[in-house]
Amino acid sequence: MNDINDWSEEESSSDDNDQYDNPPQTRPKKASIPTVLQAGFDSYFLHQGKLAKTSPTVFSTQVEPLSAEEYADAIKSASEKYNLTYPASSAIQESLAHQFRRFLLELEQGFNLLFYGYGSKRALLNRFATEVCSKRGHVIVLNGSQPKASIKDLLTAIEAIPVVQKFIESTDAPTGSSNEPQLARIRACFSSSDVKPLFLLIHNIDSPNLRSPKVKSKLATLASHTRIHLIASIDHVNAPLLWTSTECSTRKRENIDEESLSYHVPGFSWLWHDLTTMAPYDFELAHADRSSYAGASGNARTGRGGSTGLATGNTVMSESAAQHILAAVTQKAKKMFKLMATKQLAVMEDGEGKAQDDFESYGTSYDTLFTSVRDNFIATNDTAMKTLLGEFRDHNLIVGTGTGGAEILWIPMRRERLSKVVKGLDVE
């Protein structure tokens, strides 16, 4: 009995240990099979259909943009503090200045020069015109980067040269103030060997004001003359697309009279030169509106209806420009502007969620504005109202879309700048 009991206890204990040391194997769970399988395109559309989470915090609503005066002061203080003298740019320009004799030789051989490269080329080309070209003939400079630069200004400046004026008065030159008679008079004047050649320096010939086919045709008419030398610079990456291969390579021809000019295809006869100076574009961007994040591009955000820019295609007005315009108008016009600006500011205060440059959404209808103007004894009839608006429309300080009483009018200025302008009127 004792042996049996001892054996059973040992056997049972060993069985227990075996069960503890070697637990029973569990069956692996079967993977659940989905009832519906998604194809690749289903997964793609399911992923793309999710809304993107965008933060409502916009940089333009948090940081107030700089005005032109504030920008100039900031640049000046930074230059004085950090001694920004651009030594690399100065060294590069001095090395490029040694090529002036080569540039002049190419001009005298019947080519026109086109300069490209990173950095402002204005200072170096002005130096070339002053030190070299002015000693060989007459020099006219056109700053194409300025908003009001036009081919009319260029032709008028050429005709203002005393030699050209004397030629026009002493000969039976074509009369008229349009561009075609001006071109004919200029070409006829410089065809004479007694007159020194003309050097035309155009900064940023790829500017929007000089890109139209009519302007290019008139510039080509000047550039194709053997005694008129064109020197130009470009900065836009797509500027070479402005001219066809024929326009770029057509050489100048001598002894082309005005009658056969219509049969001659004018061209520019460009020679391309890399003029990388690494100089800042301070002068080229001086006209940029610092109160708008559109900046130098000159394009405002899309307005209501999906149109590109403002409804009239105008850029955002700066604070200094508005002050200059208001200083030249009558007191009634100032009162009307202040009334309209106050209404627009009130709407802007309520529309916090809208884009600050979507000015059309803050506009006032013509009928509503006329009622307020009449109630405040500023204008008593529709004719007087349109007269007051005319001065502001001409300078794009008030723009609108639509016709008649349904026209929507607004001031293309950001809220911060418009508030400062209204406060300036209150002080007056």
Side-chain angles (χ1 to χ4, degrees), residues 18 27 48 59 94 111 131 156 167 248 286 293 308 342 352 372 410 416 418 423:
D18 292 339
R27 293 181 179 179
Q48 294 295 327
F59 178 77
E94 287 299 326
F111 294 97
E131 298 180 0
T156 303
F167 174 83
C248 290
Y293 287 96
T308 303
T342 304
E352 290 292 339
S372 301
W410 68 89
E416 300 84 2
L418 186 57
K423 291 179 180 179

Side-chain angles (χ1 to χ4, degrees), residues 335-407:
K335 292 180 180 179
M336 186 204 67
F337 177 85
K338 180 182 176 182
L339 181 65
M340 180 178 175
T342 304
K343 289 180 174 294
Q344 181 168 322
L345 286 173
V347 179
M348 285 182 168
E349 292 289 343
D350 298 334
E352 290 292 339
K354 301 179 182 179
Q356 292 196 23
D357 287 351
D358 188 9
F359 301 109
E360 187 179 350
S361 61
Y362 303 117
T364 305
S365 66
Y366 180 87
D367 288 341
T368 302
L369 181 62
F370 176 67
T371 302
S372 301
V373 169
R374 184 179 55 188
D375 294 343
N376 287 272
F377 302 100
I378 300 174
T380 57
N381 53 61
D382 185 68
T383 303
M385 173 73 174
K386 291 181 178 179
T387 302
L388 295 176
L389 282 174
E391 188 72 20
F392 296 113
R393 289 181 186 271
D394 293 341
H395 294 87
N396 298 326
L397 185 53
I398 294 179
V399 294
T401 180
T403 57
E407 182 181 15

Side-chain angles (χ1 to χ4, degrees), residues 90 96 100 118 129 179 202 231 289 333 355 366:
S90 301
L96 293 172
F100 284 172
Y118 182 79
N179 293 339
I202 302 179
I231 309 158
D289 181 16
Y366 180 87

